Amino acid sequence: DPLALNPDGSLDLYLQADAPAADKRGNWLPIPAQGPFRITARLYWPDESVLKGEWSMPGIRRVAQR
């Protein structure tokens, strides 16, 4: 699915058990309703900063809770 970027170029991903609204489903990563989960990122053709260990993946931030 193509990801939908925000107007400023940033990206919101929805890590949640329940499907979000239809317009956000392309950015949805389903996770279990309870218990731990892991995030794995695959970086295809990374730039030099990744190869040198100078880049790290941005953290996950909870923005809403049901």
Side-chain angles (χ1 to χ4, degrees):
D1 294 333
L3 296 172
L5 298 177
N6 297 318
D8 66 359
S10 63
L11 175 66
D12 293 332
L13 296 175
Y14 301 92
L15 285 72
Q16 57 192 56
D18 299 326
D23 64 329
K24 295 177 172 42
R25 287 198 186 138
N27 290 23
W28 175 39
L29 297 173
I31 62 170
Q34 295 184 13
F37 64 93
R38 290 182 177 221
I39 300 294
T40 301
R42 292 183 183 174
L43 304 175
Y44 297 95
W45 293 282
D47 66 22
E48 199 65 28
S49 65
V50 175
L51 298 174
K52 289 182 177 179
E54 299 166 348
W55 178 87
S56 60
M57 190 168 142
I60 297 171
R61 180 173 54 104
R62 179 179 286 184
V63 295
Q65 182 176 2
R66 288 185 170 195

